[in-house]
Amino acid sequence: MYIYNLEAEQKVLDAIITYGKNVLTDIIGTLKPIHFYDAKNAVIYEQMIEMYNDEQDIDMVLLIDNLKKTKRIHQAGGEYYIASLVSSSISAVPSLVNTYAAVIVEKYIHRELLKSFQTIIEQNLTDVGDIIDNIETKVIPLIESIKLGGYEISDAATAIKDLFHTITADSEDDKKIRSYLKALDNIIIRFRPQNYIIIAARPSVGKTALALSIMYNIAKHTNDKMLFFSFEMSKNEIIARLLSMITGIQVTNIIDNKLTIDDWKKINEATALIEKMNLFIIDDASLTVDDIYAIVGNLNKNKDLKLVVIDYIQLIPHKEIKKNREEKISEISRQLKRIAKKENIPIIALAQLNRDIEKRKDKRPMLSDLRESGSLEQDADIVMMMYKPDTIDEFDSDMPVVDGITQIIVAKNRNGSIGEANILFKKDNVLFTDYEPTNKFVVSHSYYERDDDDDVF
């Protein structure tokens, strides 16, 4: 059996050059440059992806021009080789591109498996345990990564059906995808399919806590499938937070293993609940946005994935070293928006606010504070910014002075209202809940009783 198929590689490139970037849209989440056997083809395909991410059209003239600009024309085999890809009397059929891509990936798997087993053989291991350990470290991760990158072609509904479905009522399940924080839901109503939502804040204000609180709330009301990409925290830290939310035990006690017998009973019960949640957590900080696309597509092959959260967008790696930070974030943001639309799911991306906010007297965040890239504001359907005043002077006269209160500023809502929602942060359990006014308020951690005649917040 051959471990490569050069004709399949050339057919894919031929189809993209001949029919344009729309062909690339169907395979970009699955087929990567590393999958190509011929180095020339890998360089050409990588250049096509870069053009696609820059929202450029793709044809032979533009491709050659871009390869010259990036000084990779010789690595791509030169102009003659690129022209030869489309000179065949029988051009590639666009409908077969997914099939060709699957063949290329399959051959890549064969090559990598052979390499992995060859390495194990060359080590001349005699102990069965050592052989198994090597298989677990070299072969199984490869198989798992391929599973995550799997692609399945889905049936496409007609444009009329799509339009009718959008205009008429969404499914009851879709209506359940909301924050379950009353003040916030009064403004945004819910997270609609294809929505691209930004939650932005300065460090330590609670972006991750808010995202997890929303997912926890959804899990309490539904069994909907959700996916959480963590580029900052480990999976264990996230699970510890979920356990704290459910049990009421301080998260620091869970992490430091300072638990009583009663605490352990609660932990065991909470663990059983978490296991029943249809929640997937991925904490691989090396994943690119193409990897995210592949994983989302794989989990959504039955069209039952209801929410994706990414923590956070500025930490997603970008393969193009020469591009500046703003360009990288812009490209990643545009791709996340495409994923939300193509997979018909809401995607919540957490984002860091610009440091300049700390220099202002008024530290209330604005859309211009979105760090490094104005495209975040432009791409997003909803932008929510978190504001946690540190001093009494930072509170508005209309905003109650309560320790732990956080204001969610809905600064952009493409298809709805904007406004401000006050919610309460329970620090010990890293949980956001509804803010319920009481007859007590807190200033700098000191409690003051209010007179019954005073207005309630």
Side-chain angles (χ1 to χ4, degrees), residues 183-184 186-187 364-365 385 387 396 398-399 406-411 417-423:
L184 183 56
N186 284 339
I187 301 172
R364 188 178 302 274
M385 293 186 280
Y387 174 53
D396 277 355
D398 295 333
M399 186 173 178
T406 299
Q407 191 171 72
I408 307 300
I409 302 169
V410 181
S417 304
I418 59 174
E420 299 168 352
N422 294 336
I423 58 177

Side-chain angles (χ1 to χ4, degrees), residues 234-244 254 274 279 281:
S234 70
K235 189 180 297 184
N236 287 343
E237 289 175 304
I238 294 164
I239 294 298
R241 288 188 172 211
L242 288 173
L243 288 172
S244 180
I254 294 174
I274 291 174
L279 174 62
I281 301 170

